Amino acid sequence: MRFWHFTEMPYPYLPEPESYDSVRVTLPNQIYDPLIGSDLYNRYLDELMLADGLGFDIMTNEHHQTPTCMDAACPLVLAILARQTKRARLLALGNPIANRRDPLRLAEEMAMIDNISRGRLECGFVRGVPTEIAPANSNPVRMPERMWEAHDLILKAWTTHDGPFSWEGRYFHYRNVNVWPRTYQQPHPPIWISASTTGSVGEVAERGYVLAIFLSGFKDARGFFDVYRQRYAQRPAVAASKASGNGRAAEPKVAAPDRFAYLALTCVGETDEIGLQGVRKIMWYMQTNKVAPQFRNPPGYSTLATNVRAMRGGGLPTLRPVGQMTAEQLIDRGVIFAGNPDSVYQQIKRFSDETGGLGNLIIMGQGGFLSHEETVSNLTLFAKEVAPRLKELPGTV
Amino acid sequence: MIAPEGKSHVDISGVDLELFQRGAGEPLLFLHGGSGPERGSQFLDALAQQYRVVAPSHPGFGRSSLPESFDKVDDLAYFYLDLIDALDLDRVVLVGHSFGGWIAAEMAVRCCHRLSKLVLIGPIGIKVGGRETRDIADVFAVSAAELNRLRFHDPTSMREPDLTTLSDDELALIARNSESLALFMWEPYAHNPKLRQLLHRITVPTLLVWGESDGIVSPAYGAAYRDAIPGARLEVIAAAGHLPHVEQPDVCLEKVRGFLVEQQEDHQ
C-alpha cells in the first residue's frame, strides 16, 4: 500500500457561521489576512517537504473562493514540490478539467511538472464539487461530457509527437495542437479520477485509471470498488491494452489494489486520546460546511433522481454529510482513522479487508486547526509506526 | 399537420414535442418562461376564447424531448420557426414570457413573415448595461425565498406548489425544467450579446408588457427593449412583478387584447 499526505491548506480563522450565508463562493475575502495567510502557505509547504522526507507520497488539490482550501491552483503547489522534494510521487487530484477553459494550458502545466520532477507526476482529473460551478461560471449541465472531451484532448496532446493536430470538438477548439514539452513519463503520467457516484465509475474502470474515493466510509467504498472491478474485468482485450494509460504492456483482467485509492482524515498520536484530539481538529474540514443550497446543488449537476430525493426532504446532496458525526462514529464507518499507531493500523487494515484490498491510502494529515507541531508529530508517527506495517497489506510496492 | 385540440405530442425536427392547444381562430403561439410550461392559467384560458392558442413545452421542458445537439436559444428559435411551418400557422400572434420572450425575439429577428404581431412579457435576452452591470438577476445564485421576492410584487399572495402533494414524476419535471433552463441560459448569462443590435429587423407590431415591480428584469430594461424594436410600445403594469400575466391577469389581458385588436383594425 502506498501512502499519501494531503492538506487542503485551510485558512481556519473564520467568524461565527451565523454571520455568513455560505463559507464557499460568497464569503468576502476581507476576512483573509495576508500576513497570516502567507505564513500558512509557507508552513503547509514545509509540512509537505517533511512528508517527502518521511517517505510519504503527496497529493494536492484545488478549490476556489473558499477559505477551506487556500490552494486555488494545484499546479502551482505541484510546481514548487516538483523542484523542492526529492522522492515523493506528486499527485494532482485533481485538475478540474470540466471547469478549466483551456485544457491545453493544463496539458502544458502537467508536462512541465512531470519534467521538473523527473517523472514523479500522477495526474488526476476531477469533475469538481458543485460549489466550484459558480466560481468557474461553468455550465453545470453536461459536465461529464465536457470533462471527457477535455480529457481526450489532453491525452492526445500528450501522446502526439509528430507535430500539430486539429481539434474541433463540441467544447474545445484548437487548430494547431503541438504541446511542448512532451511528458517525462511515457506514454504519459499515470491518471487518477475521483468519483462520488457509482454511475461515473464505469468509464474510469474501462480506461484502467486509478479510482479515488473520498470520505465515503468502507461500505460505500466497497460498492464503488466492486463496480470498478466488474467493469474492469469486462474490458475488451484490445481496449484494455490501449487504455492502459500507465505504460504497462499487458493489463490483467483483475483490477489490482493499486487501481484504488481512498482518502480519510487521519491522526496518529502516542495514545488513542492524543490521536482523537488531533483528528477532532482536522474534522474542522467537515464541520465548516455551511453552504447556501443554491451553490450546493446547481441545476443539472445532480441527476433528476437525486433531485427528486432532495425535494422529498431527503436533503440536498451535501459536501460532507458526515459533518455532524463524532470522531468515534466516523472511525466506526471508516471515514477517519485516528488513535495510537496500532489502532490506526488496525483501522486501515479493516478498511482494506472490507473493501477487497486498497492500494493507495491518502491521509488528510493536516486540517483545520491542527498545528504545525501536531502535524509534524502526526506525520512522523504515521511514517515510523504505521507505514512499515502497511507493507503487510495488499498492493504494497 | 394539424395537431388535435388539448394535449398531444407531435414529432417536429427531431423533437417529440408536448403541445397544448385550445380555442379556435387566429393562431397564437405562446412560449412559456423559464420556470416551465404554463397550463390552465387565467391568461391563456382567456386568450383561447378568441384565438387558437398553441402552447408547446420547450424542448427539454415538461415532457418534450431534448435533442443532444441543442444547447443555445438559437436552437429553440429555429425549432419554433420549424413548428410554425409544420403546423402551417399563418399570420400567427407570437407571445413569449421571460425566457420564452427571449426565444420569441430571436425568432422575430430571423423571420417575421409568418408572424402578425409580437407580444413580449418581461423578456430577457438582451444586454443593456455595461460589463459590470448584470441586467438580469442571477436566478441560480439566490435562495428560493429571495427568488420569490424578485419574481413577485407580492410574494405572499403567490402560493408555491406543495411539493409533498406531487408525484416523483412531477418532481422530476421541476428538476428537469431547471436543468434545461441552466443549459440554455448559463453563459452568456440569460442573454445573447448580439440580439439587441438585431432587434431593428422586427417588422411586426410589437407590445412589451412589464411588471412595475419586476425584480428579475427592471422596467428600464423593458424601455431599452422597446427602443430597439421599431414602433414597439411598452405597457408597465402596476402591482405586478416578473409574471404580470399571472399576478395581474385582468389588467394584462386588457393591455394585450387592446393591442391585438388595435393592430387588427390597423391591418384592416
Side-chain angles (χ1 to χ4, degrees), chain B residues 31-42:
Chain B
L31 302 182
H32 64 78
S35 54
E38 215 169 285
R39 308 286 182 234
S41 69
Q42 186 186 332

Side-chain angles (χ1 to χ4, degrees), chain A residues 278-328:
Chain A
V279 90
R280 289 189 187 109
K281 294 184 181 178
I282 303 175
M283 281 165 62
W284 174 93
Y285 165 74
M286 295 174 168
Q287 291 151 354
T288 308
N289 65 353
K290 182 178 180 185
V291 176
Q294 62 269 24
F295 299 126
R296 197 183 296 167
N297 188 31
Y301 185 90
S302 302
T303 62
L304 296 182
T306 300
N307 278 292
V308 169
R309 275 198 302 278
M311 286 188 273
R312 281 263 175 263
L316 284 162
T318 55
L319 289 172
R320 304 286 166 237
V322 287
Q324 309 306 318
M325 293 186 195
T326 65
E328 290 79 0

Side-chain angles (χ1 to χ4, degrees), chain A residues 331 337-338 340-354 386 389-390 392-393:
Chain A
I331 288 172
F337 303 132
N340 70 33
D342 185 59
S343 299
V344 170
Y345 170 73
Q346 295 299 342
Q347 291 160 18
I348 294 169
K349 179 177 187 314
R350 175 186 177 221
F351 187 96
S352 183
D353 292 346
E354 294 281 353
V386 180
R389 298 179 67 187
L390 297 178
E392 299 160 27
L393 300 177

Side-chain angles (χ1 to χ4, degrees), chain A residues 101 138 142 170 311-312, chain B residues 68 70-71 166 168 187:
Chain A
R101 304 281 169 135
S138 185
R142 297 178 179 164
R170 177 161 195 172
M311 286 188 273
R312 281 263 175 263
Chain B
E68 223 287 313
F70 277 32
D71 54 14
L166 301 180
D168 281 3
E187 187 190 60

Side-chain angles (χ1 to χ4, degrees), chain B residues 214-227:
Chain B
D214 191 336
I216 304 287
V217 267
S218 70
Y221 182 91
Y225 232 117
R226 175 200 59 203
D227 294 345

Side-chain angles (χ1 to χ4, degrees), chain A residues 26 101 133-134 136-142 145 170-171 293-295 298-305 307-308 311-312, chain B residues 66-71 140-144 163-164 166-168 171-172 174-176 178-180 182-184 186-187:
Chain A
T26 56
R101 304 281 169 135
I133 295 289
N137 212 53
S138 185
N139 197 318
V141 187
R142 297 178 179 164
E145 185 183 314
R170 177 161 195 172
Y171 298 101
Q294 62 269 24
F295 299 126
Y301 185 90
S302 302
T303 62
L304 296 182
N307 278 292
V308 169
M311 286 188 273
R312 281 263 175 263
Chain B
L66 177 67
E68 223 287 313
S69 67
F70 277 32
D71 54 14
F140 301 116
V142 295
S143 67
L163 297 185
T164 60
L166 301 180
S167 68
D168 281 3
L171 291 177
I174 294 175
R176 183 169 184 259
S178 177
E179 175 174 326
S180 295
L183 173 69
F184 287 112
W186 198 268
E187 187 190 60

